[in-house]
Amino acid sequence: VETELMLADLESVEKRIPALEKKAKTGDKEAKQTLALCLEAKKLLDDGKPARLFTPDAEDEKAWKMMMLLTAKKVLFVCNVDEDNVATGNDYSRRVEEYAKSHNAESVVICAQMEADLAALSDEEAAEYLEAVGMEEPGLNRLIHKGYDLLGLATYFTVGPKEARAWTIEKGWTAPKAAGVIHGDFEKGFIRAETIGYEDFVKFNGESGAKENGKMRLEGKEYIVKDGDVMHFRFNV
């Protein structure tokens, strides 16, 4: 499949180059930038390599994304193995892992049958099952973690008396920007974020216990939200 995608990308790049060369000769900076990126992509594609092996400079990232090359997209290979090999993988999954690493991609091992079995068990039974096969968490969890890491995403939580909500953000976002995912007014009028780390929230049985043990922090506008943070935002309307 990836070979077909590389051929499609190569065809796309080759079609763009002549027009870009003409515009670049007139001094068009954007055309020069895109032309240079097209030529870099063509080198890889001509060699049978995906475009994601090229890492653009910071000033070229936007133009690179605008090219919309199929093989520049991030890739996660999922290896379905039997229960006996789910904890360590097998020869086939290791070959996939090696291929993924050499092509700037990721891989994860799961057992689809085991995931189906786990879904029918209680939490206690599922924990016992996982321990028996030498795993700390279900394969589905590992798949989600890998996907989030690959896309540079993180999650924070808001917890109230009626519900708990998970909010997806990009890694590196500040507290105000993260608050904006809930509502734009939260970002504009941000004052501070009452923050509890996920492990502390669980260890001390929620917000009250975490506060009593001094685990709630007041974070300002420059705070970088951590994966799993439990947050309550204060803001001006």
Side-chain angles (χ1 to χ4, degrees):
V1 174
E2 189 158 58
T3 299
E4 294 176 358
L5 296 179
M6 284 189 282
L7 290 173
D9 278 347
L10 182 59
E11 183 180 358
S12 173
V13 167
E14 288 178 338
K15 284 182 178 179
R16 296 182 196 185
I17 289 176
L20 287 170
E21 287 177 333
K22 289 181 180 179
K23 289 188 71 175
K25 288 178 180 178
T26 68
D28 188 304
K29 292 183 179 179
E30 186 176 326
K32 287 181 178 180
Q33 181 185 40
T34 306
L35 175 60
L37 294 174
C38 280
L39 293 174
E40 291 291 345
K42 189 175 184 302
K43 288 179 186 177
L44 287 168
L45 296 165
D46 279 336
D47 288 339
K49 298 176 182 178
R52 64 177 171 275
L53 289 179
F54 175 70
T55 302
D57 294 331
E59 61 270 21
D60 292 330
E61 284 184 2
K62 185 177 180 180
W64 178 251
K65 289 180 180 179
M66 290 295 290
M67 289 170 60
M68 301 294 289
L69 297 176
L70 297 173
T71 61
K73 295 183 180 297
K74 298 179 185 297
V75 173
L76 173 59
F77 293 94
V78 182
C79 304
N80 181 26
V81 301
D82 59 28
E83 185 178 308
D84 292 337
N85 292 292
V86 69
T88 58
N90 57 25
D91 290 342
Y92 296 109
S93 67
R94 281 187 281 275
R95 286 168 62 184
V96 172
E97 182 181 7
E98 291 173 4
Y99 178 87
K101 287 181 178 178
S102 67
H103 286 73
N104 197 20
E106 293 285 348
S107 65
V108 64
V109 175
I110 67 169
C111 172
Q113 182 57 58
M114 192 175 85
E115 295 304 307
D117 294 339
L118 285 170
L121 301 177
S122 67
D123 291 344
E124 184 177 342
E125 290 171 331
E128 291 176 356
Y129 188 174
L130 289 170
E131 184 178 356
V133 296
M135 292 176 60
E136 295 182 358
E137 62 179 356
L140 181 59
N141 289 21
R142 293 196 293 184
L143 176 58
I144 293 170
H145 291 322
K146 278 280 189 178
Y148 264 56
D149 287 342
L150 191 63
L151 296 173
L153 300 177
T155 300
Y156 76 87
F157 300 93
T158 53
V159 180
K162 293 185 178 180
E163 66 173 2
R165 289 284 302 272
W167 305 89
T168 299
I169 61 172
E170 292 184 21
K171 289 181 179 179
W173 277 15
T174 60
K177 193 167 185 180
V181 173
I182 301 175
H183 196 288
D185 289 346
F186 283 27
E187 181 176 5
K188 294 175 183 176
F190 180 90
I191 299 174
R192 65 177 181 272
E194 298 174 356
T195 307
I196 302 170
Y198 177 80
E199 291 183 1
D200 289 331
F201 191 89
V202 173
K203 180 179 179 180
F204 297 107
N205 298 313
E207 183 178 342
S208 296
K211 284 182 178 179
E212 290 172 3
N213 286 273
K215 298 301 181 180
M216 190 190 80
R217 314 182 307 273
L218 296 180
E219 302 290 359
K221 294 181 178 180
E222 302 303 317
Y223 177 67
I224 303 298
V225 178
K226 296 180 176 60
D227 191 42
D229 276 349
V230 180
M231 312 187 81
H232 181 73
F233 298 106
R234 299 290 184 184
F235 66 100
N236 285 318
V237 179

